[in-house]
Amino acid sequence: MIIQNSNFNIMQIAESGQCFRMNRVQDSDERMKYGVVAYGEYLEITQLSDDQLELSCSEEEYHRLWEDYFDLTYDYGKLVKNLIEGEDLFLSEAAEFGKGIRILKQEPYEAAISFIISQNKNIPAIKSCIEAICTRYGERKVCEKCGGKEYFTFPAPKVLAEAIKEDLRALKTGYRDTYIISISKAIAEGSLNLDELKHISFEEAVRTLKKIRGVGDKVANCIALYGLHHISGFPVDVWILRVLDEIYQNQFELEKYAGYAGIVQQYMFYYMRHKKGVA
DNA sequence: AGCCAGGTGACCG
DNA sequence: CGGTCACATGGC
């Protein structure tokens, strides 16, 4: 099916470092086409033009799943316009440059494991590690609508709860192996429920998340932002540190963006990496 | 060949 | 609280 949206650029979303299972797939044309696995399903997205995309799903599946996943009921256009017209030159440029980015609503558990793995790894390494985990522990499925494309779902907590440390190590998790098993066990046995954290305040959610082994302030903010859709989340990684330091001399006023700081952060991250020639 | 990567926990004063 | 250090391992 085809959708219209002038703030939806699939290449920008895929390169924005918020999800790790969205990859470019070859198209007969030179068009940007990406595939993503989420919620046990596989979807291909083709950018037909600046404001038009083709999704490889039925309308039923779109309304049941992907419309929410891509946060398509939120008006990013209004926010982008305000930032572009605002006083802050860097943010104005960043919003203009990344105006097709949206904050995805990923599965909380997948976001948690993904960002626990992300620490001290670069994005390509994170992606290959997660893909290896899905191939080893996920469920194999085939997408008939996509020419019989084979894919692996993200494993359930109870599966990784019973994983062997050495097996995880073989998939390049490094010292994070025990973190992965620990959080998975907590969820599998019911002492931790990530979904519940969607319905409490952002601050309280972060406080709870930071009690998990391997989850510090940065990862907690990532889980809150990308897995719980607490868009007040403002993850500070090495790139955002550079922005805060080099652009704002550590005088950035986060309070100005209260309530949607996570979206601002995403434009900053994407733009700074571009300026430094990484992406 | 080293330094860096969407950091965290432990330990220190 | 703020500073330092080890951690496991691929990317570039």
Side-chain angles (χ1 to χ4, degrees):
Chain A
M1 64 175 292
I2 292 185
I3 62 167
Q4 294 280 147
N5 195 305
S6 42
N7 294 93
F8 188 159
N9 184 300
I10 193 61
M11 187 268 288
Q12 292 184 353
I13 293 170
E15 306 297 321
S16 69
Q18 57 174 311
C19 63
F20 304 102
R21 303 202 68 201
M22 188 177 286
N23 295 296
R24 182 142 189 213
V25 294
Q26 213 37 55
D27 193 26
S28 52
D29 221 330
E30 282 195 8
R31 298 176 302 191
M32 283 293 175
K33 182 173 184 179
Y34 282 79
V36 65
V37 183
Y39 296 89
E41 305 286 346
Y42 176 75
L43 177 75
E44 288 184 345
I45 310 99
T46 309
Q47 192 87 39
L48 299 175
S49 68
D50 281 352
D51 59 0
Q52 196 176 58
L53 299 104
E54 181 174 358
L55 308 184
S56 69
C57 63
S58 65
E59 237 170 276
E60 180 277 320
E61 189 175 309
Y62 171 75
H63 290 298
R64 173 167 53 82
L65 181 56
W66 303 110
E67 183 178 35
D68 189 54
Y69 179 75
F70 286 107
D71 198 18
L72 283 161
T73 50
Y74 188 87
D75 188 358
Y76 285 75
K78 196 165 113 190
L79 173 53
V80 165
K81 184 169 183 291
N82 285 340
L83 291 174
I84 289 177
E85 292 172 354
E87 307 281 293
D88 186 318
L89 181 61
F90 180 80
L91 262 186
S92 174
E93 291 174 1
E96 172 64 39
F97 183 71
K99 62 186 172 198
I101 297 175
R102 316 181 67 81
I103 305 291
L104 302 176
K105 295 186 185 177
Q106 302 180 54
E107 291 181 82
Y109 174 63
E110 176 174 343
I113 297 295
S114 296
F115 284 96
I116 284 172
I117 288 170
S118 80
Q119 60 189 78
N120 249 34
K121 277 182 181 291
N122 58 30
I123 292 177
I126 299 164
K127 292 175 81 163
S128 65
C129 182
I130 291 172
E131 212 50 48
I133 288 174
C134 292
T135 305
R136 168 71 177 76
Y137 295 101
E139 183 191 345
R140 180 182 173 279
K141 287 191 171 182
V142 173
C143 179
E144 303 297 351
K145 296 190 292 291
C146 308
K149 163 85 180 178
E150 174 190 73
Y151 66 97
F152 293 87
T153 63
F154 197 90
K158 65 170 193 278
V159 176
L160 292 186
E162 288 166 17
I164 309 298
K165 228 191 327 183
E166 288 70 24
D167 293 347
L168 286 174
R169 280 282 170 117
L171 304 178
K172 314 304 178 187
T173 57
Y175 62 86
R176 309 159 191 81
D177 54 358
T178 52
Y179 299 159
I180 294 169
I181 293 169
S182 168
I183 182 178
S184 300
K185 277 186 174 161
I187 294 171
E189 74 193 18
S191 58
L192 174 65
N193 185 328
L194 295 178
D195 284 296
E196 284 176 358
L197 305 183
K198 287 181 183 173
H199 312 298
I200 61 176
S201 72
F202 160 71
E203 290 79 7
E204 209 172 320
V206 165
R207 209 173 307 137
T208 304
L209 290 168
K210 284 169 76 170
K211 293 177 186 162
I212 301 167
R213 299 278 306 178
V215 177
D217 195 57
K218 190 270 173 182
V219 170
N221 272 268
C222 285
I223 300 169
L225 178 56
Y226 307 122
L228 307 174
H229 206 69
H230 279 300
I231 57 175
S232 297
F234 191 84
V236 179
D237 72 324
V238 294
W239 292 98
I240 296 298
L241 265 182
R242 266 170 213 148
V243 171
L244 298 180
D245 181 21
E246 295 175 22
I247 308 293
Y248 295 97
Q249 289 77 48
N250 297 312
Q251 303 292 310
F252 182 69
E253 296 177 272
L254 187 56
E255 316 77 49
K256 283 188 185 170
Y257 310 97
Y260 57 97
I263 303 177
V264 169
Q265 180 271 168
Q266 203 63 29
Y267 298 138
M268 286 177 156
F269 176 85
Y270 184 68
Y271 188 47
M272 194 60 169
R273 281 168 58 87
H274 163 73
K275 281 171 81 87
K276 296 282 184 180
V278 180

